[in-house]
Amino acid sequence: MFEVLWRGVLMGIGGTVFMDIWAIVLHRFFGQPAPNWAPVGRWFWHVPKGRVFHDSIANAAPYEHELTLGWISHYAVGILYGIILALVVPASWFANPTFLLPWIVGIITVGAGWFLLQPGLGIGWAASKTPNPNKVRFLNLVAHTIFALGMYAVALLIR
């Protein structure tokens, strides 16, 4: 079990790093806003206090270390997804990984953003309250595909 867990942790970290590199590429070369993990940190700070959904996370009480908590949460969730992947793939998959299973997990995890995090931040179900929801949804799907690619790359490295 320990081997499965450490593989999952490494795949989750690798997938999250790939996603962060993708965000840098989008920002530097395509003018997309850089990710701001502070609102996510603020959201995570409020969840244990019983407040999951906000009209606008900007109106929620701030937390002094919300940016740090946002980054930690970003990687913790990525690690959790990596562990989930490691637990659901057949043991033989690690000897000869394929992209399909990480991609399926990556696409399924978009649902957590669309139906928990985004409404929790106050931007609506699947970003429905944003100026261009379909663009956000498309970018979410691409980012999670990149995340899956990172998990797959790490699986290839550690086999």
Side-chain angles (χ1 to χ4, degrees):
M1 181 58 102
F2 178 75
E3 184 173 330
V4 169
L5 290 177
W6 78 260
R7 287 176 185 270
V9 168
L10 291 177
M11 289 188 304
I13 291 169
T16 307
V17 167
F18 268 53
M19 184 185 275
D20 289 339
I21 292 168
W22 174 246
I24 292 167
V25 168
L26 285 177
H27 177 66
R28 294 220 176 140
F29 299 105
F30 298 99
Q32 289 299 309
N36 178 6
W37 293 104
V40 173
R42 184 178 294 187
W43 180 76
F44 269 99
W45 180 252
H46 283 275
V47 168
K49 296 169 177 30
R51 187 75 194 268
V52 176
F53 298 104
H54 298 264
D55 292 329
S56 171
I57 196 66
N59 296 334
Y63 167 60
E64 182 180 0
H65 305 289
E66 60 194 19
L67 179 59
T68 301
L69 181 57
W71 275 103
I72 291 168
S73 301
H74 173 56
Y75 273 82
V77 169
I79 289 168
L80 175 65
Y81 292 160
I83 291 171
I84 289 170
L85 173 63
L87 291 172
V88 301
V89 298
S92 61
W93 181 83
F94 288 107
N96 191 21
T98 60
F99 178 67
L100 181 61
L101 294 175
W103 184 66
I104 290 170
V105 169
I107 294 303
I108 290 171
T109 62
V110 172
W114 285 358
F115 303 114
L116 180 61
L117 179 62
Q118 291 173 354
L121 295 173
I123 63 173
W125 303 101
S128 61
K129 294 181 181 178
T130 62
N132 193 341
N134 287 331
K135 177 182 176 185
V136 174
R137 293 169 189 148
F138 174 75
L139 289 173
N140 292 159
L141 289 167
V142 171
H144 281 247
T145 298
I146 299 293
F147 174 76
L149 185 62
M151 290 196 298
Y152 171 61
V154 169
L156 289 172
L157 287 172
I158 63 174
R159 63 182 162 163

